[in-house]
Amino acid sequence: MEVIRSKGFKADHAWGAKNIANMSGITTRLHWTDQPYKWHINDGEEVFVVLDGQVEMYYRKSGTQESVVLEVGDIFFATVGTEHVAHPIGEARVLVVENEGSV
């Protein structure tokens, strides 16, 4: 049993994470960042939940780049093959659920 106060979590580098759970190869991790990630496609589905701050999520749909600003409580679901990149607006804390070892 563990209580995690996400608002107080800060990693020593952008996209640093606290591993919360690994359930049969599906990981749940708390990330802190103040820098953009990199364009990527996960090797499965990804659930991305903004817990603190704001994140502008860029994604490609039918070859066209689009974006959406995610607020606290918003969820971005990347289906298989969704190319995307997260750009925090200042500091952000996000919960990511994905296949173990995914990009």
Side-chain angles (χ1 to χ4, degrees):
M1 210 288 313
E2 181 179 6
V3 173
I4 299 163
R5 306 276 185 207
S6 61
K7 193 165 182 84
F9 174 70
K10 186 168 183 178
D12 60 359
H13 64 280
W15 294 102
K18 174 177 178 49
N19 295 323
I20 296 172
N22 184 329
M23 298 171 285
S24 301
I26 304 297
T27 61
T28 302
R29 303 176 78 207
L30 171 61
H31 291 268
W32 170 89
T33 191
D34 61 354
Q35 299 294 316
Y37 197 60
K38 60 184 177 184
W39 279 100
H40 66 286
I41 299 172
N42 295 82
D43 64 350
E45 298 169 321
E46 175 186 350
V47 175
F48 183 101
V49 183
V50 178
L51 300 177
D52 186 49
Q54 294 178 308
V55 175
E56 186 165 10
M57 183 66 78
Y58 294 87
Y59 56 96
R60 293 199 175 111
K61 186 175 180 180
S62 303
T64 302
Q65 181 174 303
E66 299 183 29
S67 74
V68 61
V69 174
L70 303 171
E71 307 281 342
V72 171
D74 289 344
I75 301 168
F76 179 82
F77 174 60
T79 56
V80 174
T82 302
E83 188 175 11
H84 60 286
V85 61
H87 285 241
I89 301 169
E91 288 189 22
R93 289 163 185 85
V94 297
L95 191 71
V96 178
V97 181
E98 62 190 351
N99 287 335
E100 181 177 16
S102 193
V103 177

